[in-house]
Amino acid sequence: MTPSGRTNQLLYQAELLLTLPDGEDEHAPGRRRASLEGALAMTELALNSLMREVTEHTGLQTFDWRRLLRDSTPAPAEISHLRELAAEPDSWLFQLLTSLEALHGCDGVSPGGRLGVTAMIATAGPSPGERLSRQLREFKALLAAFRESSREW
């Protein structure tokens, strides 16, 4: 499989996980959390795959998104653009990276942290799944732009 094919596959799988039904039994909160965290993990793999995709012809020795986004050495235009997005608190990538950091923490990314907590708090904002869906749409739009500019070269 090509790096671009793998990126596409991982994004598709992340979207599939977000659409799985929760059910209505006592395991619904656990399934909801598993779907969200699984989708986020797939998105992280897709981000790593994107790094491989945009750097495959540069001779870089690493494709790790953490290293490439935090490094300040000269990089391909796509990586520079991603670095700018990662530094902008209102951007989808900044918010995604924040969620990825939480994913690797003890509490994960689900509201309330623990699965047994069922108290609900009304909020006007989107759910974590809706936020991730929006971030996936933005990711795919940027991916399409990167691929288009790559074809032009």
Side-chain angles (χ1 to χ4, degrees):
M1 183 176 294
T2 66
S4 62
R6 180 65 174 152
T7 305
N8 292 344
Q9 180 187 53
L10 291 164
L11 290 170
Y12 173 71
Q13 291 171 345
E15 289 175 322
L16 281 178
L17 285 169
L18 288 175
T19 61
L20 292 176
D22 295 333
E24 297 182 20
D25 61 6
E26 69 273 12
H27 301 290
R31 277 193 293 278
R32 187 175 312 111
R33 181 176 184 155
S35 294
L36 176 62
E37 291 196 350
L40 191 54
M42 286 291 181
T43 305
E44 181 175 18
L45 290 172
L47 183 57
N48 225 47
S49 184
L50 170 64
M51 294 302 178
R52 179 179 301 271
E53 189 176 334
V54 299
T55 62
E56 66 182 336
H57 300 294
T58 65
L60 290 175
Q61 298 301 312
T62 183
F63 307 110
D64 180 60
W65 65 266
R66 284 181 178 88
R67 208 178 261 172
L68 288 171
L69 291 182
R70 293 183 180 143
D71 197 356
S72 60
T73 59
E78 295 89 350
I79 301 295
S80 296
H81 182 69
L82 288 166
R83 287 176 182 168
E84 291 170 10
L85 282 174
E88 186 181 316
D90 290 336
S91 78
W92 67 270
L93 184 56
F94 181 94
Q95 294 166 11
L96 176 63
L97 297 179
T98 301
S99 294
L100 290 175
E101 291 300 322
L103 177 67
H104 291 280
C106 292
D107 288 336
V109 295
S110 294
R114 294 177 293 153
L115 291 176
V117 177
T118 58
M120 296 184 66
I121 300 173
T123 61
S127 72
E130 291 167 336
R131 279 194 302 273
L132 183 53
S133 289
R134 183 188 55 81
Q135 292 162 357
L136 287 169
R137 285 190 301 275
E138 295 284 339
F139 189 139
K140 289 172 31 177
L142 182 66
L143 183 59
F146 281 175
R147 288 175 179 167
E148 182 63 31
S149 66
S150 176
R151 277 192 280 281
E152 290 173 4
W153 285 100

